[in-house]
Amino acid sequence: MPGNRCGHDPCCPALTPARPIRKGKGGLPRILSLAAERAKAWYFHPGKCKPLQSHPHRKTRSERREACQIVIETILSHLDLASLCLGTPTIDAGFIDIDMRTIVRDSGIGQRRCERAIALLKEAGFMKVQQPRAINDHGDYVGLRAIRVVTSLFFEFLGLGPMLQRERARATAKLQRRAMKAQRKLTDLMHRMTKGLRNSFTFKPQRSRADQEKRDEETRRWNMACAKYMIADLDPDECRRRTNAELGLPADYSPGRHA
């Protein structure tokens, strides 16, 4: 098998990962696919990017240059332009970094080739990798998911420095709009919940038609009985007391109060 037993063919290199950058409508920002396209020139003309040459006086092996191109497009497909970190910013869980397993899966090449390509990009100053650590419940230090950052130098070598500044500002503004929208949704949700709770305490069940007709008839009888005492020129409280006594109702009964 040519290419150091990794499937590489120097005459027909495979420079596209298993999962290429999404383009067009619904795809990723144009700067990412443009950077991947321009970087492919480094495979055919290694001298155009001296930092990627592992030795100053000879070319890097073609299979390593191929892996580097595949990994470059893979990491660009996961790049958050606002922070230049590999991962996805979320409102609820914060920033979710991608792991090496994702890079290997999306690139379609072996993990060792991915690791060597990332090491080459780090040596060139195009990437930075930090391995955070934390203390577990047993008091031991454990490694967390690595934080991988693509430096602005990578885009500057491709002549995309000014475009990167514009795209980063646009991505940052988009994140801010998402955060504000999420905050408005939360505020609206709390308002709806508060309103719903308030309504639940003041809710009055809808009466049936028969119950309403019965209540209307009782009110009519009460008004007719009360009218007799009002004609007799009695005060309102005495009219109500006598009407309730006549109809066998509580002394403080009033149709309007018990409606």
Coordinates of all heavy atoms in Angstrom, one line a residue, residues 55-127:
H55 N 10.8 20.5 8.4 CA 12.3 20.7 8.3 C 12.6 21.9 7.4 O 12.0 21.9 6.3 CB 13.0 19.4 7.8 CG 14.5 19.4 8.0 ND1 15.3 20.1 7.1 CD2 15.3 18.9 8.9 CE1 16.6 20.0 7.5 NE2 16.6 19.2 8.6
P56 N 13.4 22.8 7.7 CA 13.6 24.0 6.9 C 14.2 23.8 5.5 O 14.0 24.6 4.6 CB 14.5 24.9 7.8 CG 15.2 24.0 8.7 CD 14.2 22.8 8.9
H57 N 14.9 22.6 5.4 CA 15.6 22.4 4.1 C 15.0 21.3 3.3 O 15.6 20.9 2.3 CB 17.1 22.1 4.4 CG 17.8 23.2 5.2 ND1 18.0 24.5 4.7 CD2 18.3 23.2 6.4 CE1 18.6 25.2 5.6 NE2 18.8 24.5 6.6
R58 N 13.9 20.7 3.7 CA 13.3 19.7 2.8 C 11.8 19.7 3.0 O 11.3 20.2 4.0 CB 13.8 18.3 3.2 CG 13.6 17.9 4.6 CD 14.3 16.5 4.8 NE 14.1 16.0 6.2 CZ 13.1 15.4 6.7 NH1 12.1 15.1 5.9 NH2 13.1 15.0 7.9
K59 N 11.1 19.2 2.0 CA 9.6 19.2 2.1 C 9.1 18.2 3.1 O 9.7 17.1 3.3 CB 9.0 18.9 0.7 CG 9.3 20.0 -0.3 CD 8.5 19.7 -1.6 CE 8.7 18.4 -2.2 NZ 8.0 18.2 -3.5
T60 N 7.9 18.5 3.6 CA 7.2 17.6 4.5 C 6.7 16.4 3.6 O 6.3 16.7 2.5 CB 6.1 18.3 5.3 OG1 6.6 19.4 6.0 CG2 5.4 17.3 6.2
R61 N 6.7 15.2 4.2 CA 6.2 14.1 3.4 C 4.8 14.3 2.9 O 3.9 15.0 3.6 CB 6.2 12.8 4.3 CG 7.6 12.4 4.6 CD 7.6 11.2 5.5 NE 7.0 10.0 4.9 CZ 7.6 9.1 4.2 NH1 9.0 9.2 4.1 NH2 7.0 8.1 3.6
S62 N 4.5 13.8 1.7 CA 3.2 14.1 1.1 C 2.0 13.6 1.9 O 0.9 14.2 2.0 CB 3.1 13.5 -0.3 OG 3.3 12.1 -0.3
E63 N 2.2 12.4 2.5 CA 1.0 11.8 3.3 C 0.7 12.7 4.5 O -0.4 12.8 5.0 CB 1.3 10.4 3.7 CG 2.5 10.2 4.6 CD 3.7 9.8 3.8 OE1 3.8 10.1 2.7 OE2 4.6 9.1 4.4
R64 N 1.8 13.3 5.1 CA 1.6 14.2 6.2 C 0.9 15.5 5.7 O 0.0 16.1 6.4 CB 2.9 14.5 6.9 CG 2.7 15.1 8.3 CD 4.0 15.2 9.0 NE 3.8 15.7 10.4 CZ 4.8 15.9 11.3 NH1 6.0 15.7 10.9 NH2 4.5 16.4 12.5
R65 N 1.3 16.0 4.6 CA 0.6 17.2 4.0 C -0.8 16.9 3.7 O -1.7 17.8 3.9 CB 1.4 17.7 2.8 CG 2.8 18.0 3.0 CD 3.3 19.0 1.9 NE 3.1 18.5 0.6 CZ 3.9 17.8 -0.1 NH1 5.0 17.3 0.4 NH2 3.6 17.4 -1.4
E66 N -1.1 15.7 3.2 CA -2.5 15.3 2.9 C -3.3 15.3 4.2 O -4.4 15.8 4.3 CB -2.5 13.9 2.3 CG -3.9 13.4 2.0 CD -3.9 12.0 1.5 OE1 -3.5 11.1 2.4 OE2 -4.3 11.7 0.4
A67 N -2.8 14.7 5.3 CA -3.5 14.6 6.5 C -3.7 16.0 7.1 O -4.8 16.3 7.7 CB -2.7 13.8 7.5
C68 N -2.8 16.9 6.9 CA -2.9 18.3 7.4 C -4.0 19.0 6.7 O -4.8 19.7 7.3 CB -1.6 19.0 7.1 SG -1.5 20.6 7.9
Q69 N -4.2 18.8 5.4 CA -5.3 19.4 4.6 C -6.6 18.9 5.1 O -7.6 19.6 5.2 CB -5.1 19.2 3.1 CG -3.9 19.8 2.6 CD -3.8 21.3 2.8 OE1 -4.9 22.0 2.7 NE2 -2.7 21.9 3.2
I70 N -6.7 17.6 5.3 CA -8.0 17.0 5.8 C -8.3 17.5 7.1 O -9.5 17.9 7.4 CB -7.8 15.4 5.8 CG1 -7.7 14.9 4.4 CG2 -9.0 14.8 6.5 CD1 -7.4 13.4 4.3
V71 N -7.4 17.6 8.0 CA -7.6 18.1 9.4 C -8.0 19.5 9.4 O -8.9 20.0 10.1 CB -6.4 17.8 10.3 CG1 -6.6 18.5 11.7 CG2 -6.3 16.3 10.5
I72 N -7.4 20.3 8.5 CA -7.7 21.7 8.4 C -9.1 22.0 8.1 O -9.8 22.8 8.7 CB -6.8 22.4 7.4 CG1 -5.4 22.6 8.0 CG2 -7.3 23.8 7.0 CD1 -4.4 23.2 7.0
E73 N -9.6 21.3 7.1 CA -11.0 21.4 6.7 C -12.0 20.9 7.8 O -13.0 21.5 8.1 CB -11.3 20.7 5.4 CG -12.8 21.0 4.9 CD -13.0 20.6 3.5 OE1 -12.0 20.3 2.8 OE2 -14.2 20.5 3.1
T74 N -11.5 19.9 8.5 CA -12.4 19.3 9.6 C -12.5 20.3 10.7 O -13.6 20.5 11.3 CB -11.8 18.0 10.1 OG1 -11.7 17.1 9.0 CG2 -12.6 17.4 11.2
I75 N -11.4 20.9 11.1 CA -11.4 21.8 12.3 C -12.2 23.1 11.9 O -12.8 23.7 12.7 CB -10.0 22.1 12.8 CG1 -9.2 22.8 11.8 CG2 -9.4 20.9 13.3 CD1 -7.8 23.2 12.3
L76 N -12.0 23.5 10.6 CA -12.8 24.7 10.1 C -14.3 24.5 10.2 O -15.0 25.4 10.4 CB -12.3 25.1 8.7 CG -10.9 25.7 8.6 CD1 -10.6 25.9 7.2 CD2 -10.9 27.0 9.4
S77 N -14.7 23.2 9.9 CA -16.1 22.9 9.9 C -16.7 23.0 11.4 O -17.9 23.0 11.5 CB -16.4 21.6 9.3 OG -15.8 20.5 10.1
H78 N -15.8 23.0 12.4 CA -16.3 23.0 13.8 C -15.8 24.3 14.4 O -15.9 24.4 15.7 CB -15.7 21.8 14.6 CG -16.3 20.5 14.2 ND1 -17.5 20.1 14.6 CD2 -15.8 19.5 13.4 CE1 -17.8 18.9 14.1 NE2 -16.8 18.5 13.4
L79 N -15.4 25.3 13.7 CA -14.8 26.5 14.3 C -15.9 27.5 14.6 O -16.8 27.8 13.7 CB -13.8 27.1 13.3 CG -13.1 28.4 13.8 CD1 -12.2 28.1 15.0 CD2 -12.3 29.0 12.7
D80 N -15.9 28.0 15.8 CA -16.8 29.1 16.2 C -16.0 30.4 15.9 O -15.0 30.7 16.5 CB -17.1 29.0 17.7 CG -17.8 30.2 18.2 OD1 -18.8 30.7 17.6 OD2 -17.4 30.8 19.2
L81 N -16.5 31.2 15.0 CA -15.8 32.4 14.5 C -15.7 33.4 15.6 O -14.7 34.2 15.7 CB -16.4 33.0 13.3 CG -16.2 32.2 12.0 CD1 -17.1 32.8 10.9 CD2 -14.7 32.3 11.6
A82 N -16.7 33.5 16.5 CA -16.6 34.5 17.6 C -15.5 34.3 18.5 O -14.8 35.3 18.9 CB -17.9 34.5 18.3
S83 N -15.2 33.1 18.9 CA -14.1 32.8 19.8 C -12.9 32.2 19.2 O -11.8 32.1 19.8 CB -14.6 31.9 20.9 OG -15.0 30.6 20.4
L84 N -13.0 31.7 17.9 CA -12.0 30.9 17.2 C -11.6 29.6 17.9 O -10.6 29.1 17.8 CB -10.7 31.8 17.0 CG -10.8 33.0 16.1 CD1 -9.5 33.7 15.9 CD2 -11.4 32.5 14.7
C85 N -12.6 29.1 18.7 CA -12.4 27.8 19.4 C -13.2 26.8 18.6 O -14.2 27.1 17.9 CB -12.9 27.9 20.8 SG -12.0 28.9 21.9
L86 N -12.8 25.5 18.8 CA -13.5 24.4 18.1 C -14.6 24.0 19.0 O -14.3 23.5 20.2 CB -12.5 23.3 17.8 CG -11.3 23.6 16.9 CD1 -10.6 22.3 16.6 CD2 -11.7 24.4 15.7
G87 N -15.8 24.1 18.6 CA -16.9 23.7 19.4 C -18.2 24.5 19.1 O -18.2 25.2 18.0
T88 N -19.2 24.4 19.9 CA -20.4 25.1 19.7 C -20.9 25.9 20.9 O -20.9 25.3 22.0 CB -21.5 24.0 19.4 OG1 -21.1 23.2 18.3 CG2 -22.9 24.7 19.1
P89 N -21.1 27.2 20.7 CA -21.6 28.0 21.9 C -23.1 27.8 22.0 O -23.9 27.7 21.1 CB -21.3 29.4 21.4 CG -21.3 29.4 19.9 CD -20.8 28.0 19.6
T90 N -23.5 27.5 23.3 CA -24.9 27.3 23.6 C -25.3 28.3 24.7 O -24.5 28.7 25.5 CB -25.2 25.9 24.0 OG1 -24.5 25.6 25.3 CG2 -24.7 24.9 23.0
I91 N -26.6 28.6 24.7 CA -27.2 29.5 25.8 C -27.2 28.8 27.1 O -26.9 29.3 28.2 CB -28.5 30.0 25.3 CG1 -28.4 30.7 24.0 CG2 -29.1 30.9 26.4 CD1 -27.5 32.0 24.0
D92 N -27.6 27.5 27.1 CA -27.9 26.8 28.4 C -26.6 26.2 28.9 O -26.4 26.3 30.1 CB -28.9 25.7 28.1 CG -30.3 26.2 27.7 OD1 -30.6 27.3 28.1 OD2 -30.9 25.5 26.9
A93 N -25.8 25.5 28.1 CA -24.7 24.8 28.6 C -23.3 25.5 28.4 O -22.3 24.9 28.6 CB -24.6 23.4 28.0
G94 N -23.4 26.7 27.9 CA -22.1 27.4 27.6 C -21.4 26.9 26.4 O -22.1 26.4 25.5
F95 N -20.1 26.9 26.3 CA -19.4 26.5 25.1 C -19.1 25.0 25.3 O -18.5 24.6 26.3 CB -18.1 27.3 25.0 CG -17.5 27.2 23.6 CD1 -17.8 28.1 22.6 CD2 -16.6 26.2 23.3 CE1 -17.3 28.0 21.3 CE2 -16.0 26.0 22.0 CZ -16.4 26.9 21.1
I96 N -19.4 24.3 24.2 CA -19.2 22.8 24.2 C -18.0 22.5 23.3 O -18.2 22.7 22.1 CB -20.4 22.0 23.8 CG1 -21.6 22.3 24.8 CG2 -20.1 20.5 23.8 CD1 -22.9 21.7 24.4
D97 N -16.9 22.2 23.8 CA -15.7 21.9 23.0 C -15.9 20.5 22.3 O -16.5 19.6 22.9 CB -14.4 21.9 23.8 CG -14.2 23.2 24.5 OD1 -13.7 24.2 23.8 OD2 -14.5 23.4 25.7
I98 N -15.3 20.3 21.1 CA -15.3 19.0 20.5 C -14.1 18.2 21.0 O -13.1 18.8 21.4 CB -15.3 19.2 18.9 CG1 -14.0 19.8 18.4 CG2 -16.5 20.0 18.5 CD1 -13.8 19.7 17.0
D99 N -14.2 16.9 20.9 CA -13.2 16.1 21.3 C -12.4 15.5 20.1 O -12.9 15.6 19.0 CB -13.7 15.0 22.2 CG -14.8 14.2 21.6 OD1 -15.1 14.4 20.4 OD2 -15.5 13.4 22.3
M100 N -11.4 14.8 20.4 CA -10.6 14.2 19.3 C -11.4 13.1 18.6 O -11.2 12.9 17.4 CB -9.3 13.5 19.9 CG -8.4 12.9 18.9 SD -7.9 14.0 17.6 CE -6.7 14.9 18.5
R101 N -12.3 12.4 19.3 CA -13.1 11.4 18.6 C -13.9 12.0 17.5 O -14.1 11.4 16.4 CB -14.0 10.8 19.7 CG -14.9 9.6 19.1 CD -15.8 9.1 20.2 NE -15.1 8.7 21.4 CZ -15.7 8.4 22.5 NH1 -17.0 8.3 22.6 NH2 -14.9 8.1 23.6
T102 N -14.4 13.2 17.7 CA -15.2 13.9 16.7 C -14.3 14.3 15.5 O -14.7 14.2 14.3 CB -15.9 15.2 17.3 OG1 -16.7 14.8 18.4 CG2 -16.8 15.9 16.2
I103 N -13.1 14.8 15.8 CA -12.2 15.1 14.7 C -11.9 13.9 13.8 O -11.9 14.0 12.6 CB -11.0 15.8 15.3 CG1 -11.3 17.1 16.0 CG2 -9.9 16.1 14.2 CD1 -10.2 17.8 16.7
V104 N -11.6 12.8 14.5 CA -11.2 11.6 13.8 C -12.4 11.1 13.0 O -12.3 10.7 11.8 CB -10.8 10.5 14.8 CG1 -10.6 9.1 14.1 CG2 -9.5 10.9 15.5
R105 N -13.6 11.1 13.5 CA -14.8 10.7 12.8 C -15.1 11.5 11.6 O -15.3 11.0 10.5 CB -16.0 10.7 13.8 CG -17.3 10.2 13.1 CD -18.5 10.7 13.9 NE -18.6 12.2 13.9 CZ -19.3 12.9 14.8 NH1 -20.0 12.3 15.7 NH2 -19.3 14.2 14.6
D106 N -15.0 12.8 11.7 CA -15.4 13.7 10.6 C -14.3 13.8 9.6 O -14.5 14.1 8.4 CB -15.7 15.1 11.1 CG -17.0 15.1 12.0 OD1 -17.6 14.1 12.0 OD2 -17.3 16.2 12.5
S107 N -13.0 13.5 10.0 CA -11.9 13.6 9.0 C -11.9 12.3 8.2 O -11.5 12.4 7.0 CB -10.6 13.8 9.7 OG -10.3 12.7 10.6
G108 N -12.2 11.2 8.7 CA -12.1 9.9 8.0 C -10.8 9.3 8.0 O -10.5 8.3 7.2
I109 N -9.8 9.8 8.7 CA -8.5 9.2 8.8 C -8.2 8.8 10.2 O -9.0 9.1 11.2 CB -7.4 10.2 8.3 CG1 -7.4 11.5 9.2 CG2 -7.6 10.6 6.9 CD1 -6.3 12.5 8.9
G110 N -7.1 8.1 10.5 CA -6.8 7.5 11.8 C -6.5 8.6 12.8 O -6.1 9.7 12.5
Q111 N -6.6 8.2 14.1 CA -6.3 9.2 15.1 C -4.8 9.6 15.1 O -4.6 10.8 15.4 CB -6.7 8.6 16.5 CG -6.4 9.6 17.6 CD -7.1 9.1 18.9 OE1 -8.0 8.3 18.9 NE2 -6.6 9.6 20.1
R112 N -3.9 8.7 14.9 CA -2.5 9.1 14.9 C -2.2 10.1 13.8 O -1.4 11.1 14.1 CB -1.6 7.9 14.7 CG -1.6 7.0 15.9 CD -1.0 7.7 17.1 NE 0.4 8.1 16.9 CZ 1.0 9.1 17.6 NH1 0.3 9.8 18.5 NH2 2.2 9.4 17.3
R113 N -2.8 10.0 12.7 CA -2.6 11.0 11.6 C -3.2 12.3 12.0 O -2.6 13.4 11.7 CB -3.2 10.5 10.3 CG -2.5 9.3 9.7 CD -3.0 9.0 8.3 NE -2.5 10.0 7.3 CZ -3.0 10.1 6.1 NH1 -4.0 9.4 5.7 NH2 -2.5 11.0 5.2
C114 N -4.3 12.3 12.6 CA -4.9 13.5 13.1 C -4.1 14.2 14.1 O -3.9 15.4 14.1 CB -6.3 13.3 13.7 SG -7.6 12.8 12.5
E115 N -3.5 13.4 15.1 CA -2.7 14.0 16.1 C -1.4 14.6 15.5 O -1.0 15.7 15.9 CB -2.4 12.9 17.1 CG -3.6 12.5 18.0 CD -3.2 11.3 18.9 OE1 -2.2 10.7 18.7 OE2 -4.1 11.0 19.7
R116 N -0.8 13.9 14.5 CA 0.4 14.5 13.9 C 0.1 15.8 13.1 O 0.9 16.7 13.2 CB 1.0 13.4 13.0 CG 1.6 12.2 13.7 CD 2.4 11.4 12.7 NE 2.7 10.1 13.3 CZ 2.1 8.9 13.0 NH1 1.1 8.9 12.2 NH2 2.5 7.8 13.6
A117 N -1.1 15.8 12.5 CA -1.4 17.0 11.7 C -1.7 18.2 12.7 O -1.2 19.3 12.4 CB -2.7 16.7 10.9
I118 N -2.3 17.9 13.8 CA -2.6 19.0 14.7 C -1.3 19.5 15.4 O -1.1 20.7 15.6 CB -3.6 18.5 15.8 CG1 -5.0 18.3 15.2 CG2 -3.6 19.5 17.0 CD1 -6.0 17.8 16.2
A119 N -0.4 18.5 15.6 CA 0.9 18.9 16.1 C 1.7 19.8 15.2 O 2.4 20.8 15.5 CB 1.8 17.6 16.5
L120 N 1.6 19.5 13.9 CA 2.2 20.3 12.8 C 1.6 21.7 12.8 O 2.3 22.7 12.7 CB 2.1 19.6 11.5 CG 2.8 20.2 10.3 CD1 4.3 20.2 10.6 CD2 2.5 19.5 9.0
L121 N 0.3 21.8 12.9 CA -0.4 23.1 12.9 C 0.0 23.9 14.2 O 0.1 25.1 14.1 CB -1.9 22.9 12.9 CG -2.5 22.3 11.6 CD1 -3.9 22.0 11.7 CD2 -2.3 23.3 10.4
K122 N 0.2 23.2 15.3 CA 0.6 23.9 16.5 C 2.0 24.4 16.4 O 2.3 25.6 16.8 CB 0.6 22.9 17.7 CG -0.8 22.6 18.2 CD -0.8 21.5 19.3 CE 0.1 21.9 20.4 NZ 0.1 20.8 21.5
E123 N 2.9 23.6 15.8 CA 4.3 24.1 15.6 C 4.3 25.3 14.6 O 5.2 26.2 14.8 CB 5.1 23.0 15.0 CG 5.4 21.8 15.9 CD 6.0 20.6 15.3 OE1 6.4 20.8 14.1 OE2 6.2 19.6 15.9
A124 N 3.4 25.3 13.7 CA 3.4 26.5 12.7 C 2.8 27.7 13.4 O 2.8 28.8 12.8 CB 2.6 26.1 11.5
G125 N 2.2 27.6 14.5 CA 1.5 28.7 15.2 C 0.1 29.0 14.7 O -0.5 30.0 15.0
F126 N -0.5 28.0 14.0 CA -1.8 28.1 13.5 C -2.9 27.6 14.5 O -4.1 27.9 14.3 CB -2.0 27.3 12.2 CG -1.2 27.9 11.0 CD1 -0.8 27.2 9.9 CD2 -0.7 29.2 11.1 CE1 -0.1 27.7 8.9 CE2 0.0 29.8 10.1 CZ 0.4 29.0 9.0
M127 N -2.4 26.8 15.5 CA -3.4 26.3 16.5 C -2.7 26.4 17.8 O -1.5 26.4 18.0 CB -3.7 24.8 16.2 CG -4.8 24.6 15.1 SD -5.4 22.9 15.1 CE -6.3 22.8 16.6

